[in-house]
Amino acid sequence: MREIGRFFSGFANRNGLPVAIYLLVAVSTWIFVLVILPQLTMFDFSFRHNLPPPKIGGPEDVHTLEQYRYFVMGNEITGGGVNTLDIAVLFKTLVAAVFVTIIDLAICYPVAYLLAQSSEGSAKRLLVLALIVPFWVNEILRAFAFRILFGATGVINGAGMQLGLWDAPIDFIGGNVALYAGLAYAYILLMIFPLYNAIESLDRNQIEAARDMGASWAQVHRRVVIPYAKPGIASGSTMVFMLTAGALAAPQILGGPSSLWFTQIIYQWFNSGGNWPRGSAYAVILLAICIMFVLLIMRVFKVSIGEIGR
Amino acid sequence: MTKDITLDHVSVSFGDYTAVDDAHLTIAGGEFFSFLGPSGCGKTTLLRCISGFQEPSWGEVRIGGKNMAGVGPNKRPTALIFQNLALFPLMSVADNIAFPLEVRGIDRKARRKRADELLELIALPGQGDKKVGELSGGQKQRVAIARALAVEPDILLLDEPLSALDLKLRQHMRRELRAIQQQVGLTFIYITHDQGEALTMSDRVAVMSRGKVEQVADPRTVYDQPASSFVASFVGENNALPGKVLESGDGRMVIDIGLAAPVTVAAGKGRGRKLKVGEACHVFVRPESVAINGDGDINRFNATVIREEFEGQVRHLIVKSGETELRVTQVGYGNGASGTGASVAMSFAPELAVPLPIGHLASA
Amino acid sequence: MSNLKAFPTGGLYLLLFFLYLFGPLAVMIVTAFNSSSFPRISPWECLTSDWFFKLFEDETLIAGLGNSFVIGIGVVLVAVPVGLAAAIVLSQVGPHLRSVIYAVFIAPILMPGVVIGLSTLIFWDRLGTFFGADYDSFFYSGMFLTIAGQVTFISAYSMLVFLSRLQRFDPTLTEAALDMGASQTQAFVKVLLPFMTPAILSASVLAFLASMENYNTTVFTIVAESTFTTVLAQKVRYGLDPSISAVAVIIVGITLVGAIIFENYNRLRTQKEARAAAASSVPPVARFATNPLVIIGFVLVCMIGFVTWVGTHDSSVCEANVEQMKRAYQQEQLEQQRNRTPATASEPAEQASPPANTGGGVFSPGNLAPGQPEQEEAPASPFGNVFAPENLQGGD
């Protein structure tokens, strides 16, 4: 306690009282009122029954595992069993997110390397600027563009049939091809920039030294560039995985009629389903999985959270 | 108006590490005072104690008799010139100089007038509207000084302000700083690791090592009569010859330093320390104090030249006699004798050798 | 390039990559100018600017844009100061505490937007219930909730911007100000804030754009109201319409212009610094063509040209022709069918043919192609305004 007191008096001394108050009020409001308390409330809410507003706070408003039980076991009425539907959706979402992350990593690593290690100053600046432009186009519009591309009468089907590659329009939307392509496209820049920043700071002499000592290009990448870019790879992979697993717009727009994304289930419980506690429970499950994923990445790549957030 | 600064048994420690160990001295008003020491000796910490960025762990800093404990840097009559100068890059030269006035709520016109006066003083008239980035290194230096002088502080603290300049400019700025100090009559406290700067500019020098103040004296005394083996080895070049006291008598000592015969050195009278018989010691002999082929009879010995270093105006000979190596400096070509392998006779006067008890030496 | 041998493959790869990056956007943009009521490139019907007008007449979208604007301003006003404070606090704590606090501050970026959105919704709903607030109080206001939800993670974005700027701040500047008698507040206002100004500007732009384009959080917190993005999502989900492509044209245009101006502003600044350097070696024409001011001027002229074109271009004649051809084609098909099976075909034929009253099978489908370019180049027809865009679409 005294330690904390000393910290605050030191903090006030250092910044002057008005600035110290601004700093502490701004930061603590943000962290407590906007981040921690809402998460705790959601966590608490996920352990409650779905009650009509008048009954909330009443005798029936007790803690329960009902919502989590539903996720695992399904509805009581339909009998015990396992809620294969929702679990399958979660599983599919995660697998797809990993898949999209790997695709993005594979596409972006060469791009980041080529851009970062090329020397032409102004051309390079322009290319990097060009990378940013699509990123500022609305997420919805990016998904819409893929809808146009992959539609039954879209450009790809048109071109494919024109060239005689296939006869009847292929249902890219139903087959989720459009969805995966759209997701990979939507978050590609969050993979490129961490990679680019990491590789750019690599001293080019190291690569040349490795070449000089007789390493092949594959060896240069495996032994020099990739180990150096590891924090960037971890950061990009985390961001892409998180955003893909948590995506809502792209699955809504590009997802086939039969396929669901886990976030869509949460959305349904909140809107049409009208069951907020259940939606909260599902959100807690999603959050827990995301946290585990970050921890896993940190473990696998042996990086700190600071390197991931960058 | 000048004020004395007293460091009253000041110590600063960070956890287990003692940065300043019991510094106790008084700096007179109007003095040009330097703290000289290698990096990490605690001189910058001491400066931060005086300017108020660091509170001493023990002891007091008094300025004009007033205890400064709890007085922030913005309330002390000191102005600090930072090692990197800390000029505000986004402000013009005049705005930089007038900044201390601006924060005291003085109006724009008066500020500008004072800035112009100061620009006059530092010989940069009419340059007030330039950006800081457009100035040369020496000009930035002078602007930093003008900025520090803007509110007429009692004490100017300078933290190695010349270290970023090249040699020629540095030498020029030494003279200029000294001239400004004499013109404004302020107390200057100067921090440096460069003994040339400390010796040329200062009225008095405090030599520091490992957090301790080893000696406080005027430059001549520090050079000729070092108070410790550290000072002797840090200030100027010196031969540190380990030895053992054989005789210790009236103003004289006979010490065996591994030459063919023991040497005689003067003791007391400010030169070195009087030591007991049998005590291990260092005898310091400056390279320029050794005469080659001189006519002195005392402390005469033969040595072989093992290396020669030519440096233009001076020439260094590294000679060996018995197991003892010595560095000898001669102006120009000196008294002939040269060439590796040559054998020469050398001598030094007893009063030019300084015997001191064993202590830590400055690392080369 | 670091490796000359790899250059052709590397260059090719980059080319393909940028094609992938811009191809979908380009296709989308082109569809905004096709009069076909479904967004597509082929078959090309008429060059039109009608979709832009349809956009401006869409009141829900305009209202959503207004809301987004208000929310964006609100987010900037809160998230930027919070981000600045967070960055400063982070720069002052010791290395041990720093990594812990950093993890907390960065967490909102890593959390799924959906989770942030609904936790915000629940929290303020609970709080409103706790205080017994009315349903029209801010606890239930979509605008307030959306600002709160977006600030949660956009603050962390702006913190990152400030942190990278703060790393280059020389703390001795603050010490120098203090030493010269400034109070801590003065040092903050006169030394640190001016240094942070560029970062404050870029964090503001970033925060505003992030707010404008956010969907995942907003879709939960906006409750009964709507923003630009949620309206757009609604439109996309319930039917594809080239006016959405027109939105894309406008957004891509603004982004491009912004990027070009930004790039040229930067170049202008570096040029100013090294003006004397390479001025002589470049031929005057090239120098003129690459002058940042010339480029910015050129971009502005293009924009004005585009807006005037949208305002004055009239495709109604072409569209009427296409309409006619379509009907004629249908008619022809019908007649063929009727000829083949005269008895059974008459019923569906009546259903399929709209109140067709224009002249019959004069145009065969083969005539379509040569007719088109003529129509495209046709200037605004004097009696164009007779055909309102809605009427034209109705006939499909």
Side-chain angles (χ1 to χ4, degrees), chain B residues 75 79 113 125 261-262 282 347 349:
Chain B
K75 301 279 192 292
K113 189 163 162 278
H282 270 122
S347 61

Side-chain angles (χ1 to χ4, degrees), chain A residues 144-157:
Chain A
F144 176 69
F146 274 77
R147 187 91 197 224
I148 296 175
L149 279 184
F150 282 105
T153 58
V155 174
I156 292 185
N157 263 322

Side-chain angles (χ1 to χ4, degrees), chain C residues 20-71:
Chain C
Y20 169 62
L21 213 55
F22 287 101
L25 298 181
V27 168
M28 178 165 59
I29 285 171
V30 171
T31 60
F33 299 98
N34 188 356
S35 65
S36 162
S37 65
F38 187 83
R40 60 176 140 212
I41 289 186
S42 62
W44 184 266
E45 292 183 2
C46 293
L47 182 70
T48 180
S49 62
D50 289 344
W51 300 118
F52 290 90
F53 285 106
K54 202 187 162 210
L55 198 62
F56 300 138
E57 283 157 14
D58 187 336
E59 277 163 24
T60 53
L61 195 66
I62 301 294
L65 189 63
N67 283 346
S68 283
F69 206 77
V70 173
I71 290 168

Side-chain angles (χ1 to χ4, degrees), chain B residues 278-356:
Chain B
E279 199 178 336
C281 67
H282 270 122
V283 173
F284 290 93
V285 183
R286 296 225 177 256
E288 71 271 20
S289 303
V290 180
I292 295 179
N293 296 330
D295 39 339
D297 283 339
I298 316 171
N299 301 337
R300 199 176 173 86
F301 58 96
N302 285 318
T304 313
V305 177
I306 55 173
R307 205 164 69 242
E308 189 181 350
E309 290 168 4
F310 177 66
E311 210 181 80
Q313 75 217 47
V314 293
R315 189 171 59 128
H316 306 283
L317 298 177
I318 288 81
V319 302
K320 195 163 182 179
S321 176
E323 285 308 298
T324 309
E325 258 184 45
L326 276 153
R327 191 177 174 85
V328 180
T329 301
Q330 288 189 295
V331 178
Y333 293 93
N335 286 354
S338 69
T340 307
S343 184
V344 281
M346 344 198 107
S347 61
F348 57 87
E351 54 287 0
L352 294 179
V354 182
L356 287 165

